[in-house]
Amino acid sequence: MGGQRVIGPRFRVRDFDLQEGGSLNSNDKSSNSGRDFSDLWNRPGSLIRRLHQIHVAIFLDECSEFKVTPVQFGVLTVLYDGQTLDQVTIASQIGVDRNTAADVVRRLERRGLLVRPKSTGDRRAKLAKITEEGKEFVDAVQPAMIKAQERFVSSLDDEDYDSMMRVMTKLLQNSNEHGRAPLRAFQKTGSAGK
């Protein structure tokens, strides 16, 4: 099959080598850029979408007794230190749009895991703060969340894991501004912000 692995009856994934310096290069160069995206499973976006589905399924399986989603747990994690944050800041810290953040905050408030204090400085601002019950909930979920992460990457040795994290972080750093909800941690600053 010349540098390809079969994934199911019709799909092939090109073999990749991690080159020195952290760049990925395909063994098969069939376009001007050296990358062939003609097959669905040769597209990074398709692989990432499928991996996301798998991650969510594993998270929901491991955390089923807590009835929490990865996004809900992300919001609680951001608020765990006790800060009161507005929904726009929460959204930018977990990489979701403001409407999604607002919906998640409402759901968590109904469960008693968050409160929504009024802003004294800006009446339009929608604030959220974790409750003690919310902190206890995060502490209870944490072992199951860790087990989900470990299950998700269990096929990777330490070197593969480090490489994956390096490559994903590089993609986030270089593409963050193209997302509908850029992550604040990966926003680039100009020379004035340095």
Side-chain angles (χ1 to χ4, degrees):
M1 286 199 202
Q4 297 181 357
R5 290 185 296 270
V6 175
I7 301 193
R10 297 181 24 223
F11 303 114
R12 301 180 192 283
V13 176
R14 308 232 183 263
D15 285 331
F16 286 90
D17 294 323
L18 187 61
Q19 302 298 313
E20 193 171 330
S23 63
L24 289 173
N25 288 330
S26 170
N27 290 336
D28 183 15
K29 309 275 185 193
S30 56
S31 71
N32 290 340
S33 70
R35 297 176 177 126
D36 179 6
F37 300 126
S38 59
D39 291 332
L40 178 64
W41 298 109
N42 286 341
R43 300 173 193 159
S46 294
L47 294 173
I48 291 166
R49 179 191 56 78
R50 182 63 184 140
L51 285 171
H52 177 259
Q53 290 173 330
I54 292 166
H55 169 262
V56 170
I58 291 171
F59 181 95
L60 294 175
D61 181 49
E62 291 295 339
C63 300
S64 61
E65 71 179 279
F66 301 103
K67 299 188 180 357
V68 65
T69 68
V71 173
Q72 291 170 346
F73 196 68
V75 168
L76 291 169
T77 300
V78 165
L79 293 171
Y80 186 80
D81 66 2
Q83 290 184 74
T84 301
L85 299 176
D86 64 86
Q87 289 174 179
V88 173
T89 300
I90 293 168
S92 71
Q93 288 192 2
I94 64 170
V96 299
D97 61 65
R98 289 182 292 179
N99 292 335
T100 299
D103 181 53
V104 170
V105 166
R106 274 192 298 276
R107 289 171 190 264
L108 294 172
E109 179 189 32
R110 282 196 295 265
R111 292 180 67 177
L113 303 175
L114 298 180
V115 292
R116 296 196 303 176
K118 299 249 185 255
S119 172
T120 56
D122 181 355
R123 283 186 275 173
R124 296 173 298 164
K126 305 293 185 190
L127 303 178
K129 181 178 175 75
I130 196 166
T131 62
E132 282 306 312
E133 183 181 346
K135 286 184 177 186
E136 291 169 10
F137 181 79
V138 170
D139 292 339
V141 175
Q142 193 84 355
M145 178 278 297
I146 290 169
K147 189 172 179 185
Q149 302 306 312
E150 288 173 346
R151 253 180 79 188
F152 183 62
V153 298
S154 64
S155 63
L156 303 177
D157 62 24
D158 288 346
E159 185 178 338
D160 287 341
Y161 175 80
D162 291 344
S163 295
M164 176 198 69
M165 293 301 289
R166 186 178 65 251
V167 169
M168 288 194 310
T169 300
K170 184 176 183 178
L171 284 169
L172 275 172
Q173 287 172 334
N174 292 314
S175 301
N176 185 50
E177 72 275 4
H178 300 297
R180 250 185 26 205
L183 283 168
R184 178 175 286 178
F186 289 100
Q187 288 179 334
K188 295 179 182 178
T189 59
S191 57
K194 290 184 181 176

